[in-house]
Amino acid sequence: MSQSFVYQAQPARVIFGRGTSARLPDEADRLGLRRLLVLSTPQQTALATQVQQLLGERAAGAFAGATMHTPIEVTERALAVVKELGIDGVVSVGGGSTTGLGKAIALRTDLPQIVLPTTYAGSEMTPLLGETRDGVKTTQRSPKVLPEVVVYDVDLTLSLPLQMSALSAFNAIAHAVEALYAPDGNPIVSLMAEEGVRAIVDALPRMMREPGDATARADVLYGAWLCACCLGSVTMGLHHKLCHTLGGLFDLPHAQTHAIVLPHALAYNAPEIPVALTHLRRAFKTEDPVQALLQLERECGIPLALRDIGMPRDGVARAIEQAMANPYGNPRRIEAGALGQLLERAWAGEGV
């Protein structure tokens, strides 16, 4: 090994398997938590109630107002509940929206977090937080927002609707793809990225055929965990910048935006990332990972155009302006003309 690199492992405790939710009370006790607030979206209140029952007297209350892109005003409402109930820790149950709210609370209070992911979004394994204020989504990195414990329970993903499962899986793949060409990447992260993509790509068709196949679900969740580790270990580039810009400007659904933009961003960077493409060729078992990615998205029946998820036609110019406003690392130089072509294709759902 002649390459010099720096690898910073994230100090999160991970529990993976089936039925692992039952270990929640023990994990709360291990952290010395006695007054936990259970967080969820409005759609997952039933699951949040189950978690409260599992925690018993350790659960002091619930807040079911988590929503996409972590709006500041939602965080402020949750913080009022934290203060009112004398909360000493949070349990986030759900996907990226709920995890984001838990992180936003932790940033301001330094309260411990336990996360039970129900999707493959991956935020639970990162020291990153994206928040939205007045239509602008900004991302920051802080060790204060990294959850202390992540409990991956395959059983919690079995009821995740198929299309949302696929979208969330492509969101995970995006983390690994960008990690492979990150300016601060390293061979350890590259190993996790390739294995994460391979696991998801291998298991997705099985999961789509048999949604209740626990083995396929476990393989996708395993791959998503590895991809999330990548997201938390290195900086992201053009793809994530565009998705955050589009999400903040037009309130687009997070996973759908990632799935649509990913093949276009990968094609944009392809001429400058030969090593990353070698990893992806092995993971996809094909010489053309960009087309393989598009084909897999078609087979999963997910949206392929930004216009189909709510982006207005005149939004391309606004997105270019905001994406160009702040410099960020990317293997290929960001140019307004080429970026416009990328967004036009993604908006219309055209091939790359």
Side-chain angles (χ1 to χ4, degrees), residues 1-7 182-188 190:
M1 168 59 66
S2 58
Q3 180 182 354
S4 298
F5 63 89
V6 174
Y7 172 66
D184 51 354
N186 60 71
I188 309 304
S190 293

Side-chain angles (χ1 to χ4, degrees), residues 39-48 63-68 74 77 93 97-98 101:
L39 307 175
S40 76
T41 62
Q43 296 77 26
Q44 291 188 299
T45 53
L47 181 56
F63 180 87
T67 190
M68 288 191 308
V74 173
R77 291 203 302 271
V93 186
S97 297
T98 309
L101 176 58

Side-chain angles (χ1 to χ4, degrees), residues 77-94:
R77 291 203 302 271
L79 285 168
V81 176
V82 167
K83 184 177 180 180
E84 178 187 353
L85 297 179
I87 297 301
D88 63 3
V90 296
V91 177
S92 302
V93 186

Side-chain angles (χ1 to χ4, degrees), residues 25 34 36 38 49-61:
R34 293 292 179 267
L36 287 158
V38 179
T49 299
Q50 292 176 29
V51 170
Q52 283 181 273
Q53 293 170 347
L54 189 62
L55 288 168
E57 61 184 15
R58 304 172 188 82

